[in-house]
Amino acid sequence: MLRGEGLVKRFATGTVAVPGATIAVRPGVRLGLLGPSGCGKSTLAAMLALLVAPDEGQVSVDGQPVTRFGVRAPAALRRRVQLLWQSPVAAADPRMRIRELVTEPARIAREDPAAVLADLAPRVGLSPELLDRFPHEVSAGQLQRACIARALACRPRYLVADEPTAMFDVSTQAGLLRTLADTATEDGLGLVLITHDTALAQHWCDEVVEFGDLVAQV
C-alpha cells in the first residue's frame, strides 16, 4: 500500500499547500482524487511520488516509511512509485528520441532496454515509426503515451497521475485513460488519478475521494 498519513506542506511564504492529508491506495486499485485547481493536489502528488518531503506527516511504501525524498530517496522505493505529469512537453527531455525517453529508466536499472521497449510500446499505442522521432515531432497525445511507457519502465507498483489528460480533447482523453486503466489492471498497479473532473473520476476509477475530505486544518 502507498500511504500518506497527516501530510503537511508549507511554502516559504507561510502558505499551507497541504493541511494534513491522509490517503492510501492499494495495488490493483484505481483511486480518483478530486479537487479544484489550486487546492494542493499537485503538491500532494509530489509527496506521494517521493519527490517532495512533507513538513509533517509520513509517507510509506508497502509498509516501509520513507525518510529521504527527491534524489536522496532510496532507488528501490523511487522505482516503486512513479509520477505522470500533466504536461508531457514539460516532462520530456527535448534532446531525446522517443525510444531513448522510454528506455532511460531501464538503462539506469540495468535492464534490457530493447525488451522493455518491445513490451511497452505496443501496450501504450506507440507505433514503431514514432520511436525515432524527437518530442517536438510527435503530437502531445503521442508524447503523453511515451511518458506513460517511461513511467512503467521501472516496473512500479504505484502510479500517481496528476491531471494526465487535462490538456487533451475528449477522444484523446479517452484513449489515454483506457491505456492507464488497462495497464493498472494488467500489472496490478495502484493508480492515483488526480483530476477536477467528477464524471471522469467516477467512470474510470474504482474509488473516488474529495481532496477536502482528506485534510484536517492545522
Side-chain angles (χ1 to χ4, degrees), residues 2-171:
L2 173 62
R3 182 173 179 83
E5 180 75 31
L7 299 180
V8 174
K9 190 63 186 178
R10 301 180 182 90
F11 293 141
T13 58
T15 301
V16 179
V18 179
T22 294
I23 185 173
V25 60
R26 303 182 303 278
V29 173
R30 301 195 300 268
L31 175 68
L33 175 56
L34 286 169
S37 297
C39 72
K41 301 189 306 296
S42 293
T43 303
L44 177 59
M47 289 190 286
L48 289 174
L50 316 187
L51 298 179
V52 172
D55 294 317
E56 299 176 26
Q58 179 71 67
V59 177
S60 62
V61 182
D62 296 329
Q64 184 172 346
V66 181
T67 58
R68 292 178 293 167
F69 290 79
V71 295
R72 298 180 61 219
L77 292 183
R78 290 204 311 269
R79 285 194 292 269
R80 287 193 218 175
V81 187
Q82 292 294 302
L83 179 63
L84 182 63
W85 301 92
Q86 177 179 352
S87 170
V89 175
D93 187 333
R95 300 166 298 180
M96 286 186 172
R97 298 182 188 273
I98 298 300
R99 69 170 63 249
E100 297 168 328
L101 181 74
V102 171
T103 58
E104 183 184 37
R107 293 195 301 272
I108 293 172
R110 299 184 179 180
E111 297 185 18
D112 181 2
V116 169
L117 191 65
D119 173 37
L120 292 177
R123 289 176 61 188
V124 302
L126 285 176
S127 57
E129 64 269 19
L130 296 177
L131 298 178
D132 285 320
R133 298 182 186 176
F134 289 97
H136 71 276
E137 296 175 324
V138 301
S139 71
Q142 291 166 335
L143 185 56
Q144 188 69 306
R145 290 181 179 277
C147 290
I148 293 172
R150 177 185 173 86
L152 298 177
C154 295
R155 313 296 184 191
R157 285 175 59 82
Y158 306 97
L159 180 63
V160 181
D162 185 12
E163 300 270 12
T165 64
M167 299 178 61
F168 306 107
D169 59 43
V170 173
S171 61

